[in-house]
Amino acid sequence: MNSSTPGIEPELHARRAASFGAEAAAYAAHRPDYPEKALAWGLAGARKSPDRVLDLAAGTGKVSEGLLAMGVAVTAVEPDPKMLGQLTRTLPAVTPLIGTAERIPLPDEAVDAVVVGQAFHWFDLDRAYPEIARVLKPGGVVAALWNHDDESAGWPAELNALIKTSMSRRWLSDYRSLPEHEAFEPFEKKTFGHKQPRTAESLVATLATHSHMLVATAEERETKLRTAREFLDRNPETASGEFDLPITTTVFRALKR
Ligand SMILES: C[S@@+](CC[C@H](N)C(=O)[O-])C[C@H]1O[C@@H](n2cnc3c(N)ncnc32)[C@H](O)[C@@H]1O
């Protein structure tokens, strides 16, 4: 598999992959975290309980934070200095490194697990899989997680249809599993229910951190965000005060052969 996302041309794919740092603080403030049970299931795919874990494409540290709470030593690799700067300010216990999935700045067999939150779809997997296998110890695990709105609740589906969001979700549904690689056993998959307390204002602020919004023109972004706010203000479940955004966390994990 090359570095393109189904439905997006390579140039746009690259721009979107590099778009997040422009809104690093908003990303840290508004994007959801990952449930501990989902991270734990990912790590449990290793032959022995992991001590050293790489948060790959770490962004502002949503995965790192969850891993630290589980008591493991965390190294974060991230290409965008603004995203990594946000991480180092809030999570000084994490070892931060600038790098990419295609070129991980770690020695061979350095970690027991590699965890990727909301970013596997940005990787050039032909180059990333051998790199991930190289830095993993024998018996180590790679786990990829995505948070996406639980559309069975009704209104999140309506909202997403209105503003045509959730590229990650579309990417996910294009694959029943992740592409296989000779260095890994086939992926196992599990989903977990999750939720995040929200207001209409904070949900609109989250939508503004999605890559398709970040690469849109200012006018297009404003129109879409206004449409979202108008919907949330008239929808009974979201019109007043705090509400829970229902989230599904999907996890794929594969053991290194
Ligand atoms: C949607 S954010 C996810 C950040 C964090 N993992 C999380 O769960 O909140 C995607 C991240 O992937 C990073 N990224 C994009 N292309 C990458 C690549 N080829 N290798 C490593 N990271 C990449 C971006 O800079 C961005 O921080």
Side-chain angles (χ1 to χ4, degrees), residues 17 20 27 34 57-59 62 78-79 83 100-102 117-119 122-123:
F20 298 99
Y27 192 107
Y34 298 93
K62 302 274 175 196
E78 161 63 39
M83 297 296 266
T100 65
E102 295 79 14
Q118 215 84 10
W122 298 126
F123 299 169

Side-chain angles (χ1 to χ4, degrees), residues 27-251:
Y27 192 107
H30 298 295
R31 284 280 193 119
D33 58 5
Y34 298 93
E36 184 178 336
K37 58 196 174 192
L39 289 167
W41 185 80
L43 296 190
R47 281 224 182 85
K48 74 166 198 45
S49 182
D51 297 320
R52 307 186 67 80
V53 181
L54 168 62
D55 177 3
L56 182 58
T60 61
K62 302 274 175 196
V63 168
S64 290
E65 193 174 3
L67 292 172
L68 281 180
M70 295 166 73
V72 297
V74 183
T75 299
V77 167
E78 161 63 39
D80 189 315
K82 290 194 181 125
M83 297 296 266
L84 198 62
Q86 189 71 37
L87 182 152
T88 51
R89 275 193 288 284
T90 50
L91 301 172
V94 173
T95 304
L97 296 170
I98 290 281
T100 65
E102 295 79 14
R103 199 159 180 190
I104 301 174
L106 285 177
D108 296 357
E109 301 187 4
V111 293
D112 305 297
V114 174
V115 183
V116 181
Q118 215 84 10
F120 219 72
H121 50 288
W122 298 126
F123 299 169
D124 175 348
L125 289 180
D126 289 340
R127 292 160 59 215
Y129 273 139
E131 270 296 85
I132 293 170
R134 181 185 65 74
V135 302
L136 273 174
K137 291 182 184 158
V141 70
V142 59
L145 291 83
W146 280 269
N147 278 328
H148 41 90
D149 302 345
D150 176 1
E151 295 197 336
S152 67
W155 68 263
E158 266 185 76
L159 173 63
N160 287 338
L162 265 180
I163 62 166
K164 296 198 172 32
T165 183
S166 290
M167 270 316 294
S168 304
R169 187 176 164 74
R170 202 170 96 205
W171 189 89
L172 253 185
S173 58
D174 282 343
Y175 294 99
R176 300 187 66 141
S177 182
L178 297 184
E180 293 198 8
H181 189 271
E182 61 192 7
F184 295 95
E185 298 288 345
F187 279 91
E188 302 171 88
K189 175 183 173 183
K190 198 166 167 138
T191 56
F192 299 83
H194 189 32
K195 62 186 178 199
Q196 198 187 22
R198 290 306 202 162
T199 59
E201 193 175 14
S202 77
L203 185 48
V204 170
T206 308
L207 298 174
T209 70
H210 289 174
S211 64
H212 72 116
M213 290 289 189
L214 293 171
V215 301
T217 63
E219 193 188 348
E220 200 184 344
R221 187 163 51 242
E222 210 176 290
T223 306
K224 285 193 169 169
L225 295 178
R226 194 170 46 244
T227 303
R229 182 62 198 247
E230 285 165 5
F231 170 81
L232 292 169
D233 285 346
R234 70 172 180 269
N235 174 47
E237 281 117 317
T238 56
S240 56
E242 222 173 68
F243 55 89
D244 280 336
L245 173 67
I247 293 172
T248 301
T249 304
T250 298
V251 188

Side-chain angles (χ1 to χ4, degrees), residues 12-31:
L12 180 57
H13 175 99
R15 268 201 301 133
R16 286 179 54 165
S19 67
F20 298 99
E23 291 291 342
Y27 192 107
H30 298 295
R31 284 280 193 119

